[in-house]
């Protein structure tokens, strides 16, 4: 008999994979929001790591823009790694108990941004330094909540990437950010076999849902995509 927790995890990642396939992101955001209802954020993050890395690597290679993405986003990615490192003890320190509250606040902020269709613009000349700052902030937030879309996602939209390039860029960025988070969890002893085991169980549910939803969403118009992100 399959344990009830594994059924819940399968359902969560089936939904999260579908969301990621449609808009190019959302697997950690959706899965963390749902899993944190029944477990500590530190355990939820450990479960999310494996399916997040697998789906992000898949997304990294779905288009021909990899070289241009690396050229434009390297400050964002390096900043995120630095931010994760600076806040490495967030999940085990004295303020770890506030992680669920912070996660909830961030999810509300992200929903408000999406629903109100805020438009930001960052010029090519400012991409590098703004990207570095945004990366550090994203890394600090990611290290304490597992959420990597704030403020990185608004920034990537603000630099004017087209739909297909943005989807691939999200895969590249989230692969980097998730790997940095995995190193953090390992360093503080949270990425243990007991915590990681549900991750491989979640992956066969997340990846097919992500792939099939992505194929269905390819005809989505750029304006609609940006609004739904």
């Amino acid at each position: 008999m399959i344990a009830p927790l594994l059924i819940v995890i399968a359902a969560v990642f089936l939904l999260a994979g579908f969301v990621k396939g449609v808009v190019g992101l959302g697997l950690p955001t959706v899965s963390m929001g749902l899993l944190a209802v029944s477990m500590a954020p530190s355990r939820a993050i450990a479960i999310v790591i494996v399916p997040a890395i697998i789906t992000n690597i898949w997304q990294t290679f779905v288009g021909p823009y990899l070289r241009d993405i690396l050229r434009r986003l390297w400050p964002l990615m390096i900043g995120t790694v630095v931010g994760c490192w600076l806040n490495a003890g967030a999940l085990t320190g004295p303020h770890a108990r506030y992680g669920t509250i912070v996660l909830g606040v961030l999810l509300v902020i992200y929903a408000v941004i999406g629903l109100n269709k805020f438009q930001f613009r960052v010029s090519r000349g400012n991409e590098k330094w703004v990207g570095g700052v945004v990366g550090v902030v994203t890394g600090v937030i990611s290290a304490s909540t597992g959420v990597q879309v704030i403020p990185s996602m608004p920034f990537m939209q603000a630099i004017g990437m087209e739909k297909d390039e943005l989807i691939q860029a999200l895969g590249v960025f989230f692969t980097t950010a998730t790997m940095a988070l995995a190193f953090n969890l390992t360093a503080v002893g949270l990425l243990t076999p007991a915590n990681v085991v549900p991750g491989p169980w979640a992956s066969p549910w997340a990846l097919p849902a992500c792939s099939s939803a992505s194929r269905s969403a390819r005809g989505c118009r750029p304006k609609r995509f940006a609004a739904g992100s």
Side-chain angles (χ1 to χ4, degrees), residues 4 24 39 49 60 63 69 96 105 124 128 143 151-152 163 173 181 192 228-229:
M39 64 183 70
I49 287 293
T60 293
I69 290 168
V105 171
R124 283 267 185 167
K128 299 292 190 295
S152 61
K163 183 189 77 170
F173 170 73
L181 182 59
T192 62
S229 300

Side-chain angles (χ1 to χ4, degrees), residues 37-52:
V37 174
S38 59
M39 64 183 70
S42 57
R43 187 183 180 194
I45 292 174
I47 294 173
V48 168
I49 287 293
V50 172

